[in-house]
Amino acid sequence: MISGLMGAIAGFITHAISSMGYAGIAALMAIESACIPLPSEVIMPFSGYLASKGQFSLLLVATVGAIGCNIGSTLAYFVGAYGGRRAVERWGRYILLSQSDLDRADRWFSRYGSAAVFVSRLLPLVRTFISLPAGIARMPFWKFQIYTFIGSWPWCLVLAYVGLKLGQAWDKSPALRNTVHALNGVVLVAILIGVGFYVRRFFKSREA
């Protein structure tokens, strides 16, 4: 079931990028940055893979991905700014955002200020949700936009570069293909552990 779900998500991502091009990359990264769990770790490497085939430019892939991050982050920012902490507390559990996550974000903003937005865009998981507390804290909008972009661009570039290099090596190295196939079981176990962690968090947040 889990492998089927992940396969469906990956299929949706690859189809959107293949059919929509750069617009598909921007749209998918916007969804990811709007607090909807769509993995950039699939979006950007696949885009980099297509760059290795000459369909995209690596730098444009990273830039379009970062623009998508800004679009989605802006939506989340305004939810935080106009819905306030109460709205995020009420609906956050549906995106697995717990009370402790919000408390931690508040402390982070108190300590690091606007720099928290830049740093968080370089980190898995937290990068998806950081726009909500930024909006709640009413971080200056244009500073939020700038920090989001300059934090998102390196993240997008690195992931796309990994996909580019894998794409270049894929046809030349049978050993690489064999290694990837051998790791399928390990990846599935990691996914199961991750899903179990988030399901546990979901029920704990409902109890709270």
Side-chain angles (χ1 to χ4, degrees):
M1 177 180 176
I2 299 298
S3 60
L5 176 60
M6 293 304 296
I9 293 172
F12 167 72
I13 290 172
T14 55
H15 175 73
I17 295 172
S18 299
S19 60
M20 298 173 62
Y22 289 114
I25 299 172
L28 292 171
M29 291 303 289
I31 292 171
E32 185 253 3
S33 294
C35 304
I36 299 171
L38 198 64
S40 58
E41 293 84 354
V42 175
I43 299 167
M44 297 312 302
F46 180 70
S47 302
Y49 167 78
L50 293 182
S52 75
K53 303 303 179 185
Q55 296 186 36
F56 293 142
S57 158
L58 179 66
L59 293 180
L60 275 177
V61 162
T63 302
V64 168
I67 290 172
C69 289
N70 274 67
I71 294 170
S73 295
T74 298
L75 296 176
Y77 174 92
F78 282 124
V79 169
Y82 292 102
R85 186 182 179 92
R86 181 177 298 178
V88 176
E89 288 175 344
R90 180 178 180 182
W91 301 107
R93 65 181 182 274
Y94 294 106
I95 54 172
L96 306 180
L97 182 65
S98 68
Q99 180 70 42
S100 62
D101 292 329
L102 282 175
D103 293 339
R104 190 179 303 114
D106 286 341
R107 292 193 298 270
W108 201 7
F109 268 91
S110 297
R111 183 171 182 180
Y112 298 109
S114 301
V117 172
F118 168 73
V119 175
S120 69
R121 301 307 301 187
L122 300 169
L123 302 174
L125 298 180
V126 67
R127 67 183 309 278
T128 304
F129 304 114
I130 193 61
S131 302
L132 289 170
I136 293 171
R138 293 299 180 99
M139 177 180 174
F141 180 72
W142 289 111
K143 182 180 286 188
F144 169 78
Q145 292 291 329
I146 293 169
Y147 278 36
T148 297
F149 184 84
I150 63 176
S152 298
W153 195 84
W155 172 267
C156 293
L157 179 64
V158 168
L159 290 179
Y161 183 76
V162 169
L164 174 76
K165 287 302 180 182
L166 285 174
Q168 291 173 342
W170 187 260
D171 295 329
K172 300 177 182 178
S173 175
L176 175 63
R177 293 198 296 271
N178 293 335
T179 300
V180 170
H181 289 312
L183 288 174
N184 281 345
V186 177
V187 172
L188 180 58
V189 170
I191 291 171
L192 288 170
I193 292 172
V195 170
F197 170 76
Y198 281 116
V199 169
R200 180 172 177 269
R201 286 193 61 183
F202 175 77
F203 284 108
K204 287 185 71 174
S205 67
R206 285 178 64 92
E207 291 172 2

